[in-house]
PDB file of all heavy atoms in Angstrom:
ATOM      1  N   MET A  38     187.321 131.155  43.259  1.00  0.00           N
ATOM      2  CA  MET A  38     186.382 130.756  42.152  1.00  0.00           C
ATOM      3  C   MET A  38     184.940 131.123  42.434  1.00  0.00           C
ATOM      4  O   MET A  38     184.013 130.768  41.700  1.00  0.00           O
ATOM      5  CB  MET A  38     186.462 129.216  41.982  1.00  0.00           C
ATOM      6  CG  MET A  38     187.835 128.710  41.456  1.00  0.00           C
ATOM      7  SD  MET A  38     187.871 126.958  41.015  1.00  0.00           S
ATOM      8  CE  MET A  38     187.637 126.168  42.639  1.00  0.00           C
ATOM      9  N   ASP A  45     176.814 129.348  39.211  1.00  0.00           N
ATOM     10  CA  ASP A  45     176.190 127.965  39.025  1.00  0.00           C
ATOM     11  C   ASP A  45     175.263 127.434  40.020  1.00  0.00           C
ATOM     12  O   ASP A  45     174.422 126.676  39.734  1.00  0.00           O
ATOM     13  CB  ASP A  45     177.402 127.053  38.853  1.00  0.00           C
ATOM     14  CG  ASP A  45     178.154 127.121  37.529  1.00  0.00           C
ATOM     15  OD1 ASP A  45     177.759 127.925  36.732  1.00  0.00           O
ATOM     16  OD2 ASP A  45     179.222 126.514  37.275  1.00  0.00           O
ATOM     17  N   LEU A 179     196.336 116.759  46.794  1.00  0.00           N
ATOM     18  CA  LEU A 179     197.573 117.271  47.454  1.00  0.00           C
ATOM     19  C   LEU A 179     197.846 116.725  48.954  1.00  0.00           C
ATOM     20  O   LEU A 179     198.872 116.317  49.321  1.00  0.00           O
ATOM     21  CB  LEU A 179     197.678 118.798  47.427  1.00  0.00           C
ATOM     22  CG  LEU A 179     197.553 119.458  46.084  1.00  0.00           C
ATOM     23  CD1 LEU A 179     197.471 120.944  46.245  1.00  0.00           C
ATOM     24  CD2 LEU A 179     198.724 119.061  45.295  1.00  0.00           C
ATOM     25  N   VAL A 247     192.276 140.601  61.593  1.00  0.00           N
ATOM     26  CA  VAL A 247     192.943 141.323  60.555  1.00  0.00           C
ATOM     27  C   VAL A 247     193.367 140.393  59.407  1.00  0.00           C
ATOM     28  O   VAL A 247     193.201 140.620  58.283  1.00  0.00           O
ATOM     29  CB  VAL A 247     194.149 142.218  61.125  1.00  0.00           C
ATOM     30  CG1 VAL A 247     194.960 142.813  59.967  1.00  0.00           C
ATOM     31  CG2 VAL A 247     193.752 143.158  62.181  1.00  0.00           C
ATOM     32  N   PHE A 251     191.510 139.604  55.095  1.00  0.00           N
ATOM     33  CA  PHE A 251     192.057 139.505  53.854  1.00  0.00           C
ATOM     34  C   PHE A 251     192.017 138.131  53.197  1.00  0.00           C
ATOM     35  O   PHE A 251     191.832 138.000  52.025  1.00  0.00           O
ATOM     36  CB  PHE A 251     193.416 140.135  53.794  1.00  0.00           C
ATOM     37  CG  PHE A 251     193.448 141.574  54.206  1.00  0.00           C
ATOM     38  CD1 PHE A 251     193.887 141.944  55.482  1.00  0.00           C
ATOM     39  CD2 PHE A 251     193.002 142.543  53.318  1.00  0.00           C
ATOM     40  CE1 PHE A 251     193.871 143.302  55.721  1.00  0.00           C
ATOM     41  CE2 PHE A 251     192.927 143.902  53.673  1.00  0.00           C
ATOM     42  CZ  PHE A 251     193.370 144.292  54.838  1.00  0.00           C
ATOM     43  N   GLN A 269     191.970 138.078  36.838  1.00  0.00           N
ATOM     44  CA  GLN A 269     192.581 139.265  37.246  1.00  0.00           C
ATOM     45  C   GLN A 269     192.838 139.021  38.915  1.00  0.00           C
ATOM     46  O   GLN A 269     193.818 139.476  39.383  1.00  0.00           O
ATOM     47  CB  GLN A 269     191.844 140.552  37.088  1.00  0.00           C
ATOM     48  CG  GLN A 269     191.792 140.969  35.677  1.00  0.00           C
ATOM     49  CD  GLN A 269     190.776 142.085  35.440  1.00  0.00           C
ATOM     50  OE1 GLN A 269     189.509 141.909  35.802  1.00  0.00           O
ATOM     51  NE2 GLN A 269     191.172 143.106  34.738  1.00  0.00           N
ATOM     52  N   GLY A 289     210.023 135.693  63.321  1.00  0.00           N
ATOM     53  CA  GLY A 289     210.680 134.656  64.084  1.00  0.00           C
ATOM     54  C   GLY A 289     212.077 134.921  64.274  1.00  0.00           C
ATOM     55  O   GLY A 289     212.670 134.571  65.406  1.00  0.00           O
ATOM     56  N   LEU A 291     213.592 137.829  64.404  1.00  0.00           N
ATOM     57  CA  LEU A 291     213.804 138.995  65.318  1.00  0.00           C
ATOM     58  C   LEU A 291     213.804 138.584  66.752  1.00  0.00           C
ATOM     59  O   LEU A 291     214.784 138.841  67.525  1.00  0.00           O
ATOM     60  CB  LEU A 291     212.685 140.062  65.114  1.00  0.00           C
ATOM     61  CG  LEU A 291     212.707 141.217  66.117  1.00  0.00           C
ATOM     62  CD1 LEU A 291     214.046 142.011  66.017  1.00  0.00           C
ATOM     63  CD2 LEU A 291     211.517 142.181  65.746  1.00  0.00           C
ATOM     64  N   SER A 292     212.829 137.863  67.228  1.00  0.00           N
ATOM     65  CA  SER A 292     212.719 137.445  68.605  1.00  0.00           C
ATOM     66  C   SER A 292     213.941 136.478  69.021  1.00  0.00           C
ATOM     67  O   SER A 292     214.442 136.566  69.968  1.00  0.00           O
ATOM     68  CB  SER A 292     211.450 136.774  69.048  1.00  0.00           C
ATOM     69  OG  SER A 292     211.095 135.767  68.152  1.00  0.00           O
ATOM     70  N   LYS A 301     215.259 138.312  77.855  1.00  0.00           N
ATOM     71  CA  LYS A 301     214.416 137.180  78.305  1.00  0.00           C
ATOM     72  C   LYS A 301     213.449 136.796  77.112  1.00  0.00           C
ATOM     73  O   LYS A 301     213.069 137.645  76.400  1.00  0.00           O
ATOM     74  CB  LYS A 301     213.650 137.576  79.522  1.00  0.00           C
ATOM     75  CG  LYS A 301     214.371 137.596  80.677  1.00  0.00           C
ATOM     76  CD  LYS A 301     213.415 137.880  81.930  1.00  0.00           C
ATOM     77  CE  LYS A 301     214.248 137.660  83.298  1.00  0.00           C
ATOM     78  NZ  LYS A 301     214.728 136.366  83.510  1.00  0.00           N
ATOM     79  N   LEU A 331     197.029 148.321  42.465  1.00  0.00           N
ATOM     80  CA  LEU A 331     198.391 148.110  42.992  1.00  0.00           C
ATOM     81  C   LEU A 331     198.763 148.696  44.303  1.00  0.00           C
ATOM     82  O   LEU A 331     199.271 148.106  45.098  1.00  0.00           O
ATOM     83  CB  LEU A 331     199.393 148.717  41.877  1.00  0.00           C
ATOM     84  CG  LEU A 331     200.804 148.609  42.174  1.00  0.00           C
ATOM     85  CD1 LEU A 331     201.261 147.116  42.267  1.00  0.00           C
ATOM     86  CD2 LEU A 331     201.623 149.277  41.073  1.00  0.00           C
ATOM     87  N   ALA A 333     196.722 149.356  46.589  1.00  0.00           N
ATOM     88  CA  ALA A 333     195.838 148.525  47.579  1.00  0.00           C
ATOM     89  C   ALA A 333     196.613 147.270  47.959  1.00  0.00           C
ATOM     90  O   ALA A 333     196.812 146.927  49.214  1.00  0.00           O
ATOM     91  CB  ALA A 333     194.440 148.128  47.057  1.00  0.00           C
ATOM     92  N   PHE A 398     188.292 148.626  57.123  1.00  0.00           N
ATOM     93  CA  PHE A 398     189.681 148.771  57.267  1.00  0.00           C
ATOM     94  C   PHE A 398     189.964 149.649  58.481  1.00  0.00           C
ATOM     95  O   PHE A 398     190.897 149.407  59.348  1.00  0.00           O
ATOM     96  CB  PHE A 398     190.302 149.352  56.047  1.00  0.00           C
ATOM     97  CG  PHE A 398     190.286 148.510  54.818  1.00  0.00           C
ATOM     98  CD1 PHE A 398     190.182 148.944  53.638  1.00  0.00           C
ATOM     99  CD2 PHE A 398     190.386 147.058  54.961  1.00  0.00           C
ATOM    100  CE1 PHE A 398     190.224 148.172  52.454  1.00  0.00           C
ATOM    101  CE2 PHE A 398     190.355 146.269  53.921  1.00  0.00           C
ATOM    102  CZ  PHE A 398     190.224 146.793  52.668  1.00  0.00           C
ATOM    103  N   PRO A 406     195.558 147.925  68.321  1.00  0.00           N
ATOM    104  CA  PRO A 406     196.195 148.199  69.525  1.00  0.00           C
ATOM    105  C   PRO A 406     195.574 147.468  70.767  1.00  0.00           C
ATOM    106  O   PRO A 406     196.235 147.268  71.810  1.00  0.00           O
ATOM    107  CB  PRO A 406     195.997 149.710  69.637  1.00  0.00           C
ATOM    108  CG  PRO A 406     194.933 150.069  68.659  1.00  0.00           C
ATOM    109  CD  PRO A 406     195.145 149.169  67.584  1.00  0.00           C
ATOM    110  N   LEU A 412     198.075 141.953  75.580  1.00  0.00           N
ATOM    111  CA  LEU A 412     199.332 141.032  75.874  1.00  0.00           C
ATOM    112  C   LEU A 412     200.154 141.664  76.835  1.00  0.00           C
ATOM    113  O   LEU A 412     200.572 140.968  77.771  1.00  0.00           O
ATOM    114  CB  LEU A 412     200.122 140.884  74.532  1.00  0.00           C
ATOM    115  CG  LEU A 412     201.288 139.919  74.604  1.00  0.00           C
ATOM    116  CD1 LEU A 412     200.837 138.560  74.974  1.00  0.00           C
ATOM    117  CD2 LEU A 412     202.023 139.965  73.327  1.00  0.00           C
ATOM    118  N   SER A 420     208.575 135.474  82.358  1.00  0.00           N
ATOM    119  CA  SER A 420     209.001 134.199  82.843  1.00  0.00           C
ATOM    120  C   SER A 420     207.852 133.263  82.610  1.00  0.00           C
ATOM    121  O   SER A 420     206.670 133.536  82.540  1.00  0.00           O
ATOM    122  CB  SER A 420     209.478 134.215  84.322  1.00  0.00           C
ATOM    123  OG  SER A 420     208.477 134.584  85.112  1.00  0.00           O
TER     124      SER A 420
END
Side-chain angles (χ1 to χ4, degrees):
M38 297 189 291
D45 285 354
L179 298 176
V247 176
F251 296 106
Q269 291 170 308
L291 174 61
S292 60
K301 284 187 174 293
L331 181 59
F398 294 147
L412 184 61
S420 61

